[in-house]
């Protein structure tokens, strides 16, 4: 996701985390930490807190009273990474259970656009916008993090939030950072092979519904990873540990100039959020 030589020099000289992908490789290079510092507490609320970004406030695109999602549905929204991760290497490198018998670092810094707009800011803003749209439809929304200044939470804690909320759907929101020339487009990851019934048909259907929604909103499926906008994965801890229907959306490639421009604008982020929220509503029925 970023130049290996840069990563090596950063680690060697400063020990700081470098911008990394959405999760480190299993048993990644980071050394385990003995820190006892806990990551940010998992908090939840039924309405989003004020955004700390400078962008315009999240809003529903509905122009009149929106139709309500039937029943009492719970959606857990998981904004990838966090603003404090990059300056808290010990906490973030601590190994935690990641499913399938593996341990992985608690969390990573995420990527950024070439101009430096960070993934954690993008994911937080989009997630807040998705949550606002869903809350307007009567959905109870629970967030794995409620600001963009904290550390973590670790991937296992993020999964636990969805599990303990008994979520009808858990959607993690990320953006990718492929530096391969011409890489662009979104993809949706789900746990495969499934480790429980909810990781089977429900998670696959949630992922396909998100894929269909993003594609019909005009976003192109990734041309460098997965197939037709879908990516079955065995190595993502948050998905492995979920006992609820769960999917992880990589909205696009932050290293692609066109997608970076969209992600950096409030209007662009609203378009991602509208597509994701509408897809979640479709899935909830
Ligand atoms: Zn990510």
């Amino acid at each position: 996701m970023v130049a290996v030589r840069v990563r090596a020099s950063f680690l060697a000289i400063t020990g700081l985390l470098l911008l990394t992908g959405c999760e480190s490789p299993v048993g990644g290079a980071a050394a385990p930490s003995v820190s006892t510092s806990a990551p940010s507490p998992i908090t939840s609320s039924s309405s989003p807190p004020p955004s700390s970004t400078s962008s315009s406030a999240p809003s529903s695109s509905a122009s009149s009273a929106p139709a309500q999602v039937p029943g009492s549905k719970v959606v857990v929204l998981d904004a990838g990474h966090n603003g404090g991760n990059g300056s808290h290497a010990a906490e973030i490198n601590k190994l935690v259970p990641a499913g399938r018998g593996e341990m992985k670092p608690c969390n990573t810094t995420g990527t950024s656009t070439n101009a430096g707009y960070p993934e954690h800011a993008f994911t937080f803003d989009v997630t807040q916008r998705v949550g606002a749209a869903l809350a307007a439809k009567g959905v109870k929304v629970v967030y794995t993090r409620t600001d963009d200044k904290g550390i973590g939470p670790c991937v296992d804690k993020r999964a636990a939030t969805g599990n303990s909320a008994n979520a009808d759907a858990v959607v993690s929101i990320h953006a990718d950072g492929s530096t391969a020339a011409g890489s662009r487009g979104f993809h949706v990851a789900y746990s495969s092979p499934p480790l429980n019934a909810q990781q089977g048909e429900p998670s696959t259907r949630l992922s396909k519904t998100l894929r269909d929604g993003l594609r019909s909103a005009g976003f192109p499926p990734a041309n460098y990873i997965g197939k037709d906008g879908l990516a079955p994965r065995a190595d993502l801890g948050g998905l492995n540990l979920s006992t609820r229907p769960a999917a992880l959306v990589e909205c696009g490639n932050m290293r692609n100039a066109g997608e970076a421009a969209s992600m950096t604008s409030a209007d662009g982020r609203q378009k991602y959020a509208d597509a994701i929220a509408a897809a979640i509503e479709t899935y909830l029925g």
Side-chain angles (χ1 to χ4, degrees):
M1 198 140 303
V2 290
V4 172
R5 59 185 166 78
V6 178
R7 174 184 300 182
S9 65
F10 261 74
L11 288 172
I13 296 169
T14 68
L16 290 175
L17 285 175
L18 182 64
L19 296 176
T20 58
C22 289
E23 281 191 25
S24 296
V26 170
S33 166
V34 296
S35 169
T36 56
S37 299
S40 303
I42 307 299
T43 55
S44 62
S45 69
S46 58
S47 60
S51 172
S52 62
T53 67
S54 59
S55 59
S56 59
S59 63
S60 168
S61 60
S63 58
S64 59
Q68 299 291 291
V69 172
S72 299
K73 302 293 188 181
V74 178
V75 171
V76 168
L77 296 177
D78 175 39
H81 316 284
N82 208 333
N85 288 5
S87 57
H88 291 81
E91 291 93 332
I92 295 308
N93 288 340
K94 181 182 64 176
L95 296 182
V96 299
R100 304 184 196 272
E102 302 286 353
M103 301 288 285
K104 291 181 70 172
C106 160
N107 211 213
T108 62
T109 59
T111 187
S112 73
T113 66
N114 288 335
Y117 177 62
E119 181 187 355
H120 63 76
F122 171 78
T123 67
F124 183 71
D125 186 75
V126 171
T127 299
Q128 294 294 307
R129 293 171 188 274
V130 172
L134 292 175
K137 301 291 183 72
V139 174
K140 181 184 178 185
V141 179
V142 178
Y143 299 91
T144 59
R145 63 180 175 100
T146 53
D147 65 54
D148 195 35
K149 301 174 182 175
I151 308 163
C154 301
V155 292
D156 58 334
K157 295 293 193 300
R158 292 174 187 252
T161 297
N163 296 344
S164 62
N166 200 32
D168 295 287
V170 179
V171 177
S172 295
I173 295 175
H174 287 255
D176 211 355
S178 171
T179 55
S183 298
R184 60 106 181 95
F186 75 85
H187 65 280
V188 183
Y190 57 93
S191 174
S192 180
L195 297 170
N196 55 55
Q198 294 300 313
Q199 290 181 18
E201 189 276 339
S203 294
T204 305
R205 181 160 49 89
L206 174 60
S207 299
K208 290 181 176 176
T209 305
L210 286 160
R211 184 272 311 274
D212 292 348
L214 284 160
R215 188 161 56 187
S216 66
F219 296 104
N223 63 357
Y224 65 98
I225 188 172
K227 182 182 180 192
D228 295 332
L230 295 174
R233 297 278 293 266
D235 63 325
L236 297 178
L239 297 178
N240 286 342
L241 296 170
S242 182
T243 60
R244 306 303 305 159
L248 186 152
V249 179
E250 294 277 9
C251 291
N253 182 15
M254 299 192 87
R255 300 291 175 171
N256 176 279
E259 292 185 322
S262 179
M263 292 173 177
T264 305
S265 80
D267 285 349
R269 292 191 294 272
Q270 189 64 49
K271 289 185 173 68
Y272 284 108
D274 287 344
I276 292 167
I280 293 172
E281 291 168 31
T282 298
Y283 174 79
L284 295 175

